[in-house]
Amino acid sequence: MIKYLGSKRRLVPVLGAITAVSGARRTLDLFTGTTRVAQEMKRRGANVTAVDTARYSEVFAQCYVALDGATADIVEIDEAISRLSACQGYDGYFTETFGVRSRYVQPHNGRRIDAMRDAIESEYRGTWLYPVLLTSLIEAADRVDSTTGLQMAYVKQWAERSYRDIELRVPELVAGVGAAVRGDACSLAATLGSFDLAYLDPPYNQHRYFTNYHVWETLVAWDAPEHYGVACKRVDARDEATKSVFNAKRAMAGALRQVVADVSCRVLILSYNDESWVSRHELVDMCSHHEAVRLLAFDSKRYVGAQIGIHNPQGKKVGQVGRTRNIEYLIVAGPAPQVSRMCAGYPTLVSSGYL
Ligand SMILES: C[S@@+](CC[C@H](N)C(=O)[O-])C[C@H]1O[C@@H](n2cnc3c(N)ncnc32)[C@H](O)[C@@H]1O
């Protein structure tokens, strides 16, 4: 499973079950990230719109959400993957930047990535296979990377998995219909139409996805950007245009309140955890225009970097071992009978907006 900060691994089954009980046919995943939640909603029969600002998220969404796994030609994907897998590796931007100057992958895998990514660009750009092959490549790189899950930190020695040879696999496509949209939730929320159910999982603190997943941004853009720092981050990470209001402590609560008000949906589900800047009181209040509001709580494991500590390329520890667990919360808001059915059997902390 691809490593992603704030990814809702633990909550995916819960969100899938809640969506199914709600009876929602048309759903929105407004901060879709890995698209894991959107995929689960699609599996449960919903027509999902998946939105995110990240280039790699758009690629994942084109592959897993917009493409119908029931009609996609798996033989064609298989053939393309065999073709790419036969590419001879060579030194290029990726090897130099992320295998030599920084330690994202070992150079032998960096060379294969250079060759396979060039081939995807020259042979498949503009075809339906393009996002499928990019997804396959990003997931393959993730399985042999040497990070703690963030592309800013190094493990002390090369991670054991990084010695293995990179191997492309056919992504497990999902049958059904959906849409992939790349853009800012703040400007899109009011324009996307009406949904039976909207799921919102924004960043709640200073951790920027653009910098934490800059290698994937570059793998998709394939623009060999100038870079800075030990992690070789893209220079455009310094541009205002790549920053999210949801990483700005003062502005994020107001932005989220506006997005919640702008989204047109019968049922709203809002994710947050006990490491966020916004209090649960404030979040429940943002949803109070809905008839009923419930707050559910789930104990969860944090991302791996918090558990093993992080190191610079010389092996010196530069980060602390943090907390290993946190509490994930879901705020479910909508018509009272529907919310009550959706939340039945889950640990409820707060109900009907009363704290
Ligand atoms: C907590 S993660 C979502 C994780 C996702 N639910 C999953 O399971 O993979 C937050 C996501 O919000 C995206 N994001 C940040 N600012 C955004 C904005 N202004 N509009 C849309 N997406 C944004 C990030 O790129 C990131 O993928």
Side-chain angles (χ1 to χ4, degrees):
M1 210 177 259
I2 204 157
K3 300 184 288 298
Y4 201 59
L5 182 66
S7 141
K8 294 294 164 288
R9 286 175 189 214
R10 162 87 170 79
L11 290 182
V12 165
V14 175
L15 287 162
I18 288 184
T19 305
V21 171
S22 78
R25 306 300 307 160
R26 195 167 138 66
T27 66
L28 172 68
D29 183 6
L30 194 54
F31 300 85
T32 196
T34 59
T35 72
R36 223 168 251 152
V37 175
Q39 288 179 46
E40 186 58 23
M41 289 173 165
K42 192 179 170 196
R43 256 180 231 113
R44 304 273 186 162
N47 176 343
V48 194
T49 298
V51 180
D52 203 289
T53 42
R55 271 178 277 222
Y56 52 83
S57 279
E58 184 187 31
V59 163
F60 296 154
Q62 287 166 340
C63 173
Y64 289 120
V65 180
L67 190 62
D68 186 347
T71 53
D73 188 340
I74 302 295
V75 174
E76 226 182 302
I77 303 175
D78 220 23
E79 281 170 4
I81 283 188
S82 302
R83 204 180 154 92
L84 294 176
S85 303
C87 290
Q88 277 295 324
Y90 49 76
D91 284 324
Y93 176 89
F94 200 89
T95 314
E96 171 62 21
T97 312
F98 299 120
V100 178
R101 285 176 185 264
S102 67
R103 293 200 321 211
Y104 172 71
V105 287
Q106 295 214 20
H108 70 278
N109 282 325
R111 288 184 205 104
R112 301 274 319 285
I113 292 173
D114 267 314
M116 293 192 287
R117 182 62 187 87
D118 277 344
I120 292 174
E121 200 59 24
S122 60
E123 293 176 36
Y124 298 99
R125 191 174 184 93
T127 74
W128 70 273
L129 284 166
Y130 189 72
V132 179
L133 299 176
L134 279 181
T135 297
S136 176
L137 182 63
I138 294 172
E139 290 179 345
D142 185 64
R143 285 192 293 272
V144 295
D145 79 1
S146 193
T147 74
T148 58
L150 303 181
Q151 295 159 8
M152 310 256 270
Y154 301 94
V155 288
K156 195 169 181 178
Q157 278 137 6
W158 285 111
E160 220 177 294
R161 64 174 175 273
S162 69
Y163 289 91
R164 295 203 305 256
D165 287 334
I166 188 166
E167 180 208 356
L168 299 186
R169 295 180 192 158
V170 176
E172 284 180 29
L173 303 181
V174 185
V177 283
V181 180
R182 179 168 172 227
D184 189 330
C186 301
S187 48
L188 287 175
T191 69
L192 294 164
S194 286
F195 298 90
D196 299 323
L197 184 151
Y199 174 61
L200 274 54
D201 184 20
Y204 279 105
N205 52 35
Q206 71 281 10
H207 298 299
R208 287 179 66 198
Y209 284 82
F210 192 87
T211 45
N212 279 314
Y213 298 95
H214 65 98
V215 179
W216 295 350
E217 289 282 347
T218 295
L219 258 181
V220 173
W222 209 231
D223 54 353
E226 284 181 36
H227 51 79
Y228 67 97
V230 286
C232 297
K233 282 177 284 180
R234 306 170 55 87
V235 282
D236 57 0
R238 292 176 169 144
D239 296 351
E240 280 310 306
T242 65
K243 295 186 179 162
S244 171
V245 68
F246 296 97
N247 299 125
K249 192 167 185 178
R250 282 162 195 238
M252 91 77 69
L256 184 59
R257 185 176 283 279
Q258 190 60 49
V259 168
V260 167
D262 283 348
V263 167
S264 169
C265 62
R266 198 167 152 75
V267 174
L268 180 85
I269 304 180
L270 196 55
S271 263
Y272 87 106
N273 66 30
D274 56 354
E275 295 170 26
S276 78
W277 285 328
V278 190
S279 75
R280 67 185 198 210
H281 303 254
E282 211 172 342
L283 291 167
V284 168
D285 183 60
M286 285 179 198
C287 302
S288 59
H289 53 291
H290 288 275
E291 185 186 18
V293 185
R294 285 228 198 167
L295 176 66
L296 312 179
F298 303 84
D299 182 39
S300 191
K301 216 172 166 186
R302 290 181 81 225
Y303 79 95
V304 66
Q307 295 164 43
I308 60 180
I310 54 176
H311 302 80
N312 68 15
Q314 286 72 45
K316 190 166 167 275
K317 201 155 196 178
V318 292
Q320 294 299 314
V321 176
R323 294 164 57 197
T324 55
R325 304 198 72 81
N326 63 2
I327 311 275
E328 296 278 357
Y329 297 100
L330 289 181
I331 293 170
V332 183
Q338 206 170 358
V339 169
S340 173
R341 272 200 313 278
M342 290 166 70
C343 298
Y346 294 111
T348 302
L349 286 192
V350 175
S351 123
S352 292
Y354 174 76
L355 290 170

